[in-house]
Amino acid sequence: MNFAPLPSVAAAAVPADGLVLDVRENDEWAAGHVEGALHIPMSDFVARFGELTGAAEDGRRVHVMCRVGGRSAQVTQYLVQQGLDAVNVEGGMLAWDGAGRPMVTDNGAPAFVL
């Protein structure tokens, strides 16, 4: 059985106004995340899938992110199978931070990758 290669993009190449889907768990999100990202933990993903389809209904590309890229790869594969334009962010939040991309917290504390 052949699988198409998973579409992916470097953290540095995600557009500043891109739709970012963060599939990390709540404690990881609280430590630091991309401003404006949609947060749906992988453990809640199937139940909350409609939140994403609403955000992506204009055909926007979904940039899927986790800590290092494993969980987001699984979610990206699922989204592509559902017909969405989704890409896995290579290296996840560690690569995002390493590329000097901005991160925020909900409580104003310094952001970091958990």
Side-chain angles (χ1 to χ4, degrees):
M1 197 177 235
N2 287 334
F3 291 99
L6 190 69
S8 61
V9 65
V14 176
D17 62 349
L19 173 56
V20 174
L21 170 64
D22 190 323
V23 298
R24 297 175 302 149
E25 295 305 314
N26 291 330
D27 58 337
E28 296 173 286
W29 170 266
H33 55 267
V34 177
E35 188 170 12
L38 177 61
H39 179 227
I40 304 177
M42 189 171 170
S43 55
D44 298 342
F45 193 75
V46 175
R48 295 177 57 193
F49 180 64
E51 293 175 42
L52 175 64
T53 54
E57 65 188 7
D58 57 0
R60 291 176 72 194
R61 170 167 280 178
V62 182
H63 300 83
V64 189
M65 175 106 69
C66 67
R67 184 171 185 269
V68 294
R71 288 170 287 179
S72 56
Q74 294 176 54
V75 172
T76 300
Q77 187 170 34
Y78 175 78
L79 294 177
V80 169
Q81 290 169 348
Q82 304 307 308
L84 283 140
D85 180 8
V87 294
N88 188 33
V89 178
E90 296 171 3
M93 285 298 296
L94 289 175
W96 182 273
D97 188 32
R101 302 292 303 261
M103 296 188 302
V104 297
T105 60
D106 292 335
N107 63 9
F112 66 96
V113 178
L114 182 65

